[in-house]
PDB file of all heavy atoms in Angstrom:
ATOM      1  N   GLU A   6     131.461 164.806 -31.092  1.00 98.00           N
ATOM      2  CA  GLU A   6     131.628 163.406 -31.456  1.00 98.00           C
ATOM      3  C   GLU A   6     133.081 163.158 -31.782  1.00 98.00           C
ATOM      4  O   GLU A   6     133.796 164.050 -32.337  1.00 98.00           O
ATOM      5  CB  GLU A   6     130.753 162.988 -32.532  1.00 98.00           C
ATOM      6  CG  GLU A   6     129.245 163.237 -32.371  1.00 98.00           C
ATOM      7  CD  GLU A   6     128.768 164.513 -33.070  1.00 98.00           C
ATOM      8  OE1 GLU A   6     129.581 165.375 -33.161  1.00 98.00           O
ATOM      9  OE2 GLU A   6     127.618 164.615 -33.384  1.00 98.00           O
ATOM     10  N   GLY A  15     133.305 144.185 -41.449  1.00 98.00           N
ATOM     11  CA  GLY A  15     133.619 143.176 -40.390  1.00 98.00           C
ATOM     12  C   GLY A  15     134.404 143.650 -39.187  1.00 98.00           C
ATOM     13  O   GLY A  15     134.392 143.078 -38.177  1.00 98.00           O
ATOM     14  N   LEU A  20     132.539 155.006 -31.200  1.00 98.00           N
ATOM     15  CA  LEU A  20     132.263 156.472 -31.159  1.00 98.00           C
ATOM     16  C   LEU A  20     132.046 156.935 -29.763  1.00 98.00           C
ATOM     17  O   LEU A  20     131.421 156.160 -28.946  1.00 98.00           O
ATOM     18  CB  LEU A  20     131.038 156.797 -32.055  1.00 98.00           C
ATOM     19  CG  LEU A  20     131.103 156.347 -33.472  1.00 98.00           C
ATOM     20  CD1 LEU A  20     129.844 156.751 -34.263  1.00 98.00           C
ATOM     21  CD2 LEU A  20     132.194 156.618 -34.221  1.00 98.00           C
ATOM     22  N   PHE A  29     124.177 166.672 -17.683  1.00 97.00           N
ATOM     23  CA  PHE A  29     124.191 165.535 -18.647  1.00 97.00           C
ATOM     24  C   PHE A  29     123.082 164.564 -18.215  1.00 97.00           C
ATOM     25  O   PHE A  29     122.438 164.035 -19.093  1.00 97.00           O
ATOM     26  CB  PHE A  29     125.532 164.828 -18.630  1.00 97.00           C
ATOM     27  CG  PHE A  29     125.656 163.810 -19.744  1.00 97.00           C
ATOM     28  CD1 PHE A  29     125.603 164.142 -21.099  1.00 97.00           C
ATOM     29  CD2 PHE A  29     125.909 162.463 -19.341  1.00 97.00           C
ATOM     30  CE1 PHE A  29     125.754 163.125 -21.998  1.00 97.00           C
ATOM     31  CE2 PHE A  29     125.968 161.537 -20.282  1.00 97.00           C
ATOM     32  CZ  PHE A  29     125.976 161.886 -21.683  1.00 97.00           C
ATOM     33  N   GLY A  35     120.986 160.282 -27.972  1.00 98.00           N
ATOM     34  CA  GLY A  35     120.719 159.420 -29.085  1.00 98.00           C
ATOM     35  C   GLY A  35     121.895 159.575 -30.138  1.00 98.00           C
ATOM     36  O   GLY A  35     122.652 160.615 -30.204  1.00 98.00           O
ATOM     37  N   ARG A  45     118.304 161.497 -42.502  1.00 96.00           N
ATOM     38  CA  ARG A  45     118.839 161.187 -41.247  1.00 96.00           C
ATOM     39  C   ARG A  45     118.022 160.118 -40.567  1.00 96.00           C
ATOM     40  O   ARG A  45     116.724 160.119 -40.603  1.00 96.00           O
ATOM     41  CB  ARG A  45     118.924 162.351 -40.479  1.00 96.00           C
ATOM     42  CG  ARG A  45     119.815 162.130 -39.037  1.00 96.00           C
ATOM     43  CD  ARG A  45     120.066 163.489 -38.484  1.00 96.00           C
ATOM     44  NE  ARG A  45     120.940 164.360 -39.320  1.00 96.00           N
ATOM     45  CZ  ARG A  45     121.368 165.504 -38.862  1.00 96.00           C
ATOM     46  NH1 ARG A  45     121.256 165.895 -37.624  1.00 96.00           N
ATOM     47  NH2 ARG A  45     122.116 166.134 -39.748  1.00 96.00           N
ATOM     48  N   ILE A  51     119.366 156.162 -25.551  1.00 98.00           N
ATOM     49  CA  ILE A  51     119.538 155.728 -24.172  1.00 98.00           C
ATOM     50  C   ILE A  51     119.056 156.715 -23.187  1.00 98.00           C
ATOM     51  O   ILE A  51     119.162 157.904 -23.390  1.00 98.00           O
ATOM     52  CB  ILE A  51     121.078 155.334 -23.833  1.00 98.00           C
ATOM     53  CG1 ILE A  51     121.239 154.701 -22.600  1.00 98.00           C
ATOM     54  CG2 ILE A  51     121.920 156.683 -23.947  1.00 98.00           C
ATOM     55  CD1 ILE A  51     122.677 154.121 -22.381  1.00 98.00           C
ATOM     56  N   ASN A  54     119.585 157.267 -17.194  1.00 95.00           N
ATOM     57  CA  ASN A  54     120.302 156.357 -16.302  1.00 95.00           C
ATOM     58  C   ASN A  54     120.611 155.008 -16.878  1.00 95.00           C
ATOM     59  O   ASN A  54     120.836 154.058 -16.129  1.00 95.00           O
ATOM     60  CB  ASN A  54     119.284 156.163 -15.077  1.00 95.00           C
ATOM     61  CG  ASN A  54     118.052 155.483 -15.365  1.00 95.00           C
ATOM     62  OD1 ASN A  54     117.718 155.296 -16.648  1.00 95.00           O
ATOM     63  ND2 ASN A  54     117.347 154.980 -14.456  1.00 95.00           N
ATOM     64  N   ALA A  75     129.371 160.319 -15.199  1.00 98.00           N
ATOM     65  CA  ALA A  75     130.450 160.983 -14.545  1.00 98.00           C
ATOM     66  C   ALA A  75     131.428 161.741 -15.527  1.00 98.00           C
ATOM     67  O   ALA A  75     132.156 162.583 -15.187  1.00 98.00           O
ATOM     68  CB  ALA A  75     131.221 159.943 -13.691  1.00 98.00           C
ATOM     69  N   ARG A 108     112.598 160.623 -32.766  1.00 89.00           N
ATOM     70  CA  ARG A 108     112.024 161.800 -33.448  1.00 89.00           C
ATOM     71  C   ARG A 108     113.044 162.968 -33.236  1.00 89.00           C
ATOM     72  O   ARG A 108     113.271 163.473 -32.213  1.00 89.00           O
ATOM     73  CB  ARG A 108     110.649 162.256 -32.731  1.00 89.00           C
ATOM     74  CG  ARG A 108     109.553 161.204 -33.042  1.00 89.00           C
ATOM     75  CD  ARG A 108     108.357 161.611 -32.435  1.00 89.00           C
ATOM     76  NE  ARG A 108     108.484 161.394 -30.936  1.00 89.00           N
ATOM     77  CZ  ARG A 108     107.681 161.963 -30.018  1.00 89.00           C
ATOM     78  NH1 ARG A 108     106.645 162.815 -30.419  1.00 89.00           N
ATOM     79  NH2 ARG A 108     107.846 161.719 -28.667  1.00 89.00           N
ATOM     80  N   SER A 113     117.264 168.452 -28.643  1.00 95.00           N
ATOM     81  CA  SER A 113     117.572 169.890 -28.597  1.00 95.00           C
ATOM     82  C   SER A 113     118.987 170.373 -29.049  1.00 95.00           C
ATOM     83  O   SER A 113     119.156 171.353 -29.677  1.00 95.00           O
ATOM     84  CB  SER A 113     117.384 170.459 -27.204  1.00 95.00           C
ATOM     85  OG  SER A 113     116.037 170.160 -26.720  1.00 95.00           O
ATOM     86  N   GLY A 118     129.054 165.886 -36.034  1.00 98.00           N
ATOM     87  CA  GLY A 118     129.087 164.588 -36.666  1.00 98.00           C
ATOM     88  C   GLY A 118     130.484 164.130 -36.825  1.00 98.00           C
ATOM     89  O   GLY A 118     131.485 164.920 -36.840  1.00 98.00           O
ATOM     90  N   SER A 125     134.450 147.685 -48.481  1.00 94.00           N
ATOM     91  CA  SER A 125     134.079 146.275 -48.696  1.00 94.00           C
ATOM     92  C   SER A 125     135.327 145.410 -49.052  1.00 94.00           C
ATOM     93  O   SER A 125     136.387 145.989 -49.247  1.00 94.00           O
ATOM     94  CB  SER A 125     133.073 146.219 -49.791  1.00 94.00           C
ATOM     95  OG  SER A 125     133.556 146.778 -50.973  1.00 94.00           O
TER      96      SER A 125
END
Side-chain angles (χ1 to χ4, degrees):
E6 303 97 336
L20 304 183
F29 188 65
R45 190 169 296 191
I51 187 168
N54 62 349
R108 290 177 293 163
S113 305
S125 57

